[in-house]
Amino acid sequence: MIRKLRRAVRRAYRRTVDLSHPSRSPLGSTVVNCVVYENGVRQPDGAPVDEALRRVRKTGRGFVWIGLHEPSQTEIAGIAELFGLHPLAVEDAVQAHQRPKVERYEDSLFAVFKTCRYVEHEELTATSEVVDTGELMVFTGPDFVITVRHGGHGSLGPLREALEATPEQLAKGPSAVLHAIADQVVDDYLNVADAVQNDIDAVETAVFSEHAGHGDAGRIYQLKRELLELKRAVAPLDRPLQILASHSLPPFGPDIQPYFRDVVDHLNRVAEQITSFDGLLDSILQAHLAQVTVAQNEDMRKITAWAAIIAVPTMVCGVYGMNFEHMPELRWTYGYPLALGVMAVACFVLHRSFRRNGWL
């Protein structure tokens, strides 16, 4: 909690630069940035990718961090050959639509994360988009980090600035970058889950209000669909993070494992929230359906009561409408007012009886 508060205060007072913006990317629309770090300190920019890697490997200090945004197979081919990336991992990074995972290829790791963003909306409807997802792939080696981002959100510019503000952490190398990325992704899950909880609270209040509408079922179902989208990003990430937290994988040492265990704890919290949200939405939906059933029963009772009241004058009029010659009181002067009076009294008695029983 203290770490999050410090991070929020630091970001509030420091100017944030979005390095993913094309106008800030002198290397082109695909290569977002290429930066060399030595002892956790950012070195001057401007070097091409091959020169940056040659510099790092010549000195044997630091690492190079390259950011890519939705590259094509042709655009990433040169970087893949330069860094010796595995063809299967490169194919996954280009095509996207992958499940969260961590795979080891000799002395490098390939990690896939699902990024999530809460979509702001004035009012939740049956078609509102609540959760927007993207993908983030990370290649890590002894002296390089390559991030490949898919989607319109999940920029790593603020994360890069936050890491540069703590050079002692960044000095730990590519493992620190991978941990920071995983931590940010999971923190975004927490933020999305908190925002979704506000929507659930709003729907719950609307369902149990006096003016509950029939459109609430559509909103509840839409929330369940969006919650499933979040679950698809969170649930598969548990196993990869467990591997990073419990296994010493090249090029990472065991000193980074406690940091990943902290991320696993946050991920478990999100997973528990999603499970509770899903159960709560099921309960809200069942309560709403029960309310609809009760309302329908009340409507049917009212219809039945009025039908019973109308049946009395209908029966009397039907009897006297048969036009038989010999009928009781047919030629009596007060026969017509008497018939109307009997019908009125009978209807009044039935109406009062139904009101007393709560049918009207």
Side-chain angles (χ1 to χ4, degrees), residues 23-286:
S23 64
R24 306 184 189 278
S25 179
L27 303 176
S29 59
T30 298
V31 180
V32 176
N33 215 330
C34 176
V35 180
V36 174
Y37 295 94
E38 291 185 5
N39 298 322
V41 179
R42 177 174 181 154
Q43 304 302 304
D45 300 343
V49 175
D50 54 348
E51 292 185 9
L53 180 61
R54 189 180 304 112
R55 173 183 172 181
V56 169
R57 292 183 174 175
K58 180 179 180 180
T59 60
R61 300 191 306 271
F63 64 96
V64 57
W65 183 355
I66 302 173
L68 306 176
H69 181 251
E70 297 183 355
S72 64
Q73 184 69 41
T74 304
E75 293 170 329
I76 202 176
I79 295 178
E81 181 179 0
L82 180 64
F83 288 89
L85 305 180
H86 196 279
L88 293 178
V90 173
E91 182 181 357
D92 290 344
V94 172
Q95 294 181 356
H97 304 293
Q98 305 294 322
R99 284 172 55 89
K101 61 181 179 179
V102 171
E103 294 183 354
R104 175 184 174 184
Y105 296 99
E106 297 181 355
D107 60 345
S108 64
L109 289 180
F110 175 64
V112 178
F113 301 95
K114 283 280 190 180
T115 59
C116 287
R117 178 179 66 92
Y118 179 76
V119 181
E120 297 289 343
H121 47 270
E122 295 182 359
E123 183 180 0
L124 181 66
T125 65
T127 58
S128 295
E129 183 181 12
V130 178
V131 179
D132 183 25
T133 59
E135 292 188 37
L136 183 61
M137 291 80 167
V138 185
F139 296 89
T140 52
D143 51 13
F144 67 86
V145 176
I146 302 174
T147 56
V148 182
R149 183 168 59 89
H150 291 265
H153 64 277
S155 171
L156 297 179
L159 173 65
R160 190 188 291 263
E161 288 187 334
L163 280 173
E164 291 173 358
T166 55
E168 65 279 0
Q169 180 70 11
L170 193 57
K172 296 179 180 180
S175 60
V177 177
L178 182 60
H179 161 260
I181 292 175
D183 188 45
Q184 174 176 290
V185 169
V186 176
D187 284 346
D188 289 341
Y189 293 163
L190 288 169
N191 295 333
V192 172
D194 292 339
V196 170
Q197 184 174 10
N198 294 333
D199 286 332
I200 295 176
D201 293 340
V203 169
E204 184 179 16
T205 302
V207 166
F208 291 101
S209 66
E210 297 180 357
H211 305 286
H214 294 288
D216 291 335
R219 297 197 297 166
I220 297 172
Y221 182 71
Q222 180 65 14
L223 265 181
K224 286 184 67 67
R225 290 188 60 184
E226 295 299 311
L227 194 64
L228 179 61
E229 188 76 12
L230 179 59
K231 185 176 181 179
R232 289 173 179 169
V234 173
L237 187 58
D238 179 67
R239 179 57 181 169
L241 288 182
Q242 291 286 357
I243 293 176
L244 293 173
S246 58
H247 296 76
S248 181
L249 300 175
F252 302 160
D255 57 332
I256 199 65
Q257 293 178 8
Y259 294 92
F260 281 107
R261 284 197 290 269
D262 179 67
V263 179
V264 171
D265 291 338
H266 294 174
L267 185 71
N268 291 336
R269 174 189 166 189
V270 181
E272 291 174 359
Q273 280 185 300
I274 293 176
T275 302
S276 63
F277 289 165
D278 192 41
L280 180 58
L281 284 175
D282 286 337
S283 300
I284 295 174
L285 182 59
Q286 293 298 325

